[in-house]
Amino acid sequence: MIKFLNKINKDKLKGVALLRLDFNTEDFWRIDLILPTIIFLKKYANKIIIISHKGRPNNFNSKLSLEPQVKYLEKKLKTKIKFINHFNFKNIKNTIRKSEQKIFVLENIRFLKEEYNCSQQLASKLAQLGNYFVNDAFAVCHRCQTSVTELPKFLPSYAGLQLEKEIKILGKNIKKPTKPLILIIGGAKAKDKIGVIKNFINKAKYILLGGGSGNTMLFLKNINVYDSLREKDEKILNDFKKLLKYKNIILPIDYKINQNQILDLGPQTIKLFKEKIKIAKTIIWSGPLGMIEDKRHIQGSLEIAKSIILNSKANSIVGGGETVMFLKKHNLDKKIKFISTGGGAMLEFLAGKKLPGIEILKNAKKIRKRI
């Protein structure tokens, strides 16, 4: 059973907290969402050591340093933070013990190759820095990595405030969504979306498909998608083929084409999707519906976003870095009821898969190892 941070006896939160966060965003929106966990821990922990990552480096890379995130965090918390830019664990331990500062941030944990291969040795070194572990990095809970799935094996471990929200809100909308439920799926990679579509096919009133998933389904209906992004793997194509019989899957009926590719929804599709959205009481959206990097192809995503916010009273849930950043860029994020910090993690959770970073929080006590 997962132990949620705000349900724990506060005496157990004294000492040094190791806090796993996710700073991997183009701007700092994920940091904003996990600030309540840091503020909560600040009240009770003697010290907080933040472990996080950015990008997928294999070694030290100054462009992927967490220093900018530390500066942003200092401004938001209005407190000085000690940034530790090396991985000499003996020195790190001494620095933390001697310092009068309360919050520390370790350099990008992915600078260490051991982070990727579930190293027990690295997990043990990290565990020696603290007294307990808190995971508030939902966006990496679908990955088997040392600071996510191995560290909890060495310390008492809890789910942070944001992770608790993710588990409870997304979980509720898998098991008992308020209906009618509308699922909106876009984005480039169709294979990442097949699990969610299959899991919601009998729960959603309508599943509106754009992007790679929409193109793939159109292709399977023998409609010319030109050189557009679509799934080409035969096994995954077979999975999509099984969905052709479902009448609640709504595909684009027109589209904008540029350089022989479908790059956005057409006006008739936008109208059709908006009509479906009107009846929704729950909307889950992941993935842009066009090539939003180019302002000529943002119309579909923009119109659908406005429809969700202005023309619907539905409980709206949005996830995926591209989608969230798009909403923020157009000042449309504030009225979304729940923004998930997960992209791939949200998709896997909604697909009904067990996420390793969450499963270990359920079972860590049974397999606790000695430091």
Side-chain angles (χ1 to χ4, degrees), residues 178-183 204-208 248 250 272-283 307-308 311-315:
T178 304
K179 294 184 177 182
L181 164 67
I182 306 292
L183 184 66
K205 177 72 174 175
Y206 297 112
I207 298 176
L208 313 181
N248 61 335
I250 311 299
L272 174 65
F273 280 16
K274 285 167 80 171
E275 284 172 2
K276 303 302 183 189
I277 286 166
K278 277 181 188 176
I279 68 162
K281 290 194 175 173
T282 302
I283 297 170
S307 182
I308 292 169
N311 302 326
S312 169
K313 294 180 181 178
N315 175 34

Side-chain angles (χ1 to χ4, degrees), residues 24-228:
N24 191 29
T25 53
E26 289 179 34
D27 72 354
F28 304 112
W29 65 271
R30 279 198 181 116
I31 295 179
D32 292 337
L33 290 175
I34 52 79
L35 281 173
T37 295
I38 302 174
I39 292 165
F40 182 89
L41 281 172
K42 232 178 121 189
K43 291 179 186 175
Y44 304 106
N46 296 331
K47 294 182 179 182
I48 303 166
I49 303 169
I50 294 171
I51 303 165
S52 192
H53 73 281
K54 187 164 67 173
R56 295 182 183 178
N58 292 312
N59 212 320
F60 276 83
N61 180 343
S62 59
K63 291 179 181 178
L64 294 174
S65 172
L66 297 184
E67 196 165 3
Q69 282 70 20
V70 174
K71 289 177 180 176
Y72 179 79
L73 201 54
E74 283 183 325
K75 287 179 185 176
K76 297 297 286 187
L77 295 172
K78 297 177 182 176
T79 189
K80 192 72 178 166
I81 294 172
K82 176 70 176 174
F83 179 52
I84 298 173
N85 63 357
H86 62 83
F87 289 104
N88 183 321
F89 282 93
K90 186 177 179 180
N91 286 354
I92 291 171
K93 197 168 185 178
N94 286 335
T95 298
I96 292 166
R97 182 172 54 83
K98 292 176 182 177
S99 178
E100 293 182 3
Q101 285 173 227
K102 188 156 187 172
I103 302 176
F104 304 80
V105 175
L106 301 185
E107 182 56 283
N108 189 341
I109 194 68
R110 288 185 178 173
F111 285 172
L112 299 176
K113 67 179 185 296
E114 293 87 354
E115 168 66 2
Y116 294 98
N117 58 23
C118 296
S119 163
Q120 298 288 296
Q121 187 178 16
L122 175 57
S124 177
K125 287 179 180 178
L126 289 166
Q128 289 175 53
L129 300 177
N131 302 108
Y132 61 93
F133 173 73
V134 178
N135 185 349
D136 212 22
F138 175 66
V140 286
C141 279
H142 62 315
R143 304 203 180 278
C144 290
Q145 294 183 351
T146 299
S147 63
V148 178
T149 56
E150 306 310 305
L151 187 47
K153 296 176 183 177
F154 290 87
L155 294 171
S157 299
Y158 315 117
L161 306 184
Q162 179 65 26
L163 182 52
E164 180 181 1
K165 283 184 186 178
E166 302 273 3
I167 292 168
K168 290 183 175 178
I169 292 172
L170 296 180
K172 175 184 179 292
N173 284 284
I174 294 172
K175 292 174 184 173
K176 290 183 179 179
T178 304
K179 294 184 177 182
L181 164 67
I182 306 292
L183 184 66
I184 305 170
I185 296 292
K189 295 179 183 176
K191 68 178 181 181
D192 293 349
K193 314 300 191 315
I194 186 68
V196 184
I197 298 168
K198 286 165 69 176
N199 202 32
F200 278 86
I201 197 70
N202 293 315
K203 299 172 187 174
K205 177 72 174 175
Y206 297 112
I207 298 176
L208 313 181
L209 292 188
S213 301
N215 295 342
T216 299
M217 292 288 280
L218 290 170
F219 170 78
L220 290 171
K221 291 184 79 171
N222 296 314
I223 294 170
N224 186 5
V225 296
Y226 310 95
D227 297 327
S228 308

